[in-house]
Amino acid sequence: MNQDLSRRALLKWGMASAAVATLGQTHAKSANYALPALDYAPAALEPHIDAETMTIHHTKHHAAYITKLNEALTANPSLQAPTLDALMEKIATVTDPAVQSTLRNNGGGHWNHAFFWAIMAPAAQTGKPSDALLAAINESFGSMDKMKTAFAEAALKRFGSGWAWLIVQNGKLKITSTPNQDNPLMKGLVAAPDLGTPILGIDVWEHAYYLNYQNRRADYITAWWNVVNWNAVNKHFSA
Ligand code: MN
């Protein structure tokens, strides 16, 4: 078996690399989520997102969430979950408030960023929304333009740091927003109207855009649509 390929495939499915390690690594730690590689070069999203922002965001911010997540799971091995998605649903049940907060911020940070990198692509490789996705967007929002306007409004209105999401909730598309590193999978932590399965999301923490756009979050959001990987969004929607 090609171990590099199998490792990448498993990471794509959000499994802890502790599980991957059993495939062949010899020094597995009890909790060892790994930073997923980008599917494109850090400069590949320019001019919409600059290479320096991508590099710092990926190798510093995202990596730091993973380090802290791994520390918390190593100290509390009973909190491990079979998948990263399952971990999101488990955080509300953690009784120690400090541990819960660490998992919420850093487990959420890992889930959100792993999702974010994969729903972006170089502008020439983004594909198009599928007919099924377009039909659902039309049903929920009236048109693609109206969906984009509502999504941008949610992203702009998010005070401070957080995310805006396009989710599937009870079989329908909906736009939500969550603060900090919360996400729509966090049952018991995030309000029920904001829960669902994300198919698209934008990071509106200043670290996602400040180097290039400074305080112009609206300009960042407008530019970001150019690098939305519709091929990936279509797959999330049909899953
Ligand atoms: Mn971020």
Side-chain angles (χ1 to χ4, degrees):
M1 179 189 287
N2 182 320
Q3 286 183 359
D4 184 54
L5 276 180
S6 62
R7 178 185 170 82
R8 287 169 64 93
L10 286 168
L11 288 173
K12 280 200 170 174
W13 285 98
M15 294 182 69
S17 62
V20 180
T22 63
L23 291 175
Q25 305 294 320
T26 51
H27 298 290
K29 292 176 183 171
S30 58
N32 195 18
Y33 283 97
L35 184 67
L38 301 179
D39 286 335
Y40 40 81
L45 305 187
E46 291 191 348
H48 311 294
I49 303 180
D50 64 285
E52 188 179 14
T53 295
M54 285 299 295
T55 298
I56 296 171
H57 200 176
H58 179 235
T59 67
K60 305 294 183 191
H61 291 279
H62 188 180
Y65 296 127
I66 293 170
T67 299
K68 288 176 185 158
L69 171 63
N70 286 338
E71 286 171 2
L73 290 175
T74 300
N76 303 277
S78 68
L79 302 181
Q80 297 224 31
T83 66
L84 193 55
D85 281 16
L87 182 65
M88 297 301 103
E89 298 180 4
K90 196 176 176 181
I91 296 172
T93 68
V94 177
T95 49
D96 183 318
V99 175
Q100 184 185 79
S101 175
T102 298
L103 288 182
R104 183 175 188 168
N105 292 331
N106 297 289
H110 180 30
W111 194 99
N112 294 348
H113 288 85
F115 179 83
F116 188 54
W117 310 135
I119 54 93
M120 296 190 292
Q125 298 166 30
T126 58
K128 290 178 180 176
S130 66
D131 289 346
L133 177 58
L134 278 176
I137 286 171
N138 288 338
E139 185 191 341
S140 290
F141 305 102
S143 70
M144 175 62 89
D145 280 349
K146 285 180 181 172
M147 186 281 285
K148 287 185 171 179
T149 299
F151 185 93
E153 190 179 300
L156 267 177
K157 273 171 41 186
R158 168 50 54 196
F159 184 77
S161 297
W163 294 74
W165 306 97
L166 180 62
I167 64 172
V168 178
Q169 183 188 73
N170 301 322
K172 301 233 171 169
L173 291 177
K174 183 177 179 181
I175 287 164
T176 66
S177 169
T178 53
N180 304 313
Q181 296 298 356
D182 286 0
N183 66 48
L185 297 177
M186 291 181 177
K187 287 174 188 159
L189 296 175
V190 165
D194 298 323
L195 290 175
T197 304
I199 66 167
L200 181 63
I202 186 171
D203 187 345
V204 292
W205 284 57
E206 282 189 343
H207 68 222
Y209 62 89
Y210 203 84
L211 289 180
N212 198 22
Y213 295 95
Q214 294 82 47
N215 61 322
R216 292 173 284 117
R217 185 189 285 186
D219 291 351
Y220 156 66
I221 297 165
T222 300
W224 175 80
W225 287 112
N226 291 296
V227 293
V228 166
N229 182 0
W230 291 108
N231 295 321
V233 179
N234 292 340
K235 276 185 196 159
H236 286 308
F237 178 67
S238 63

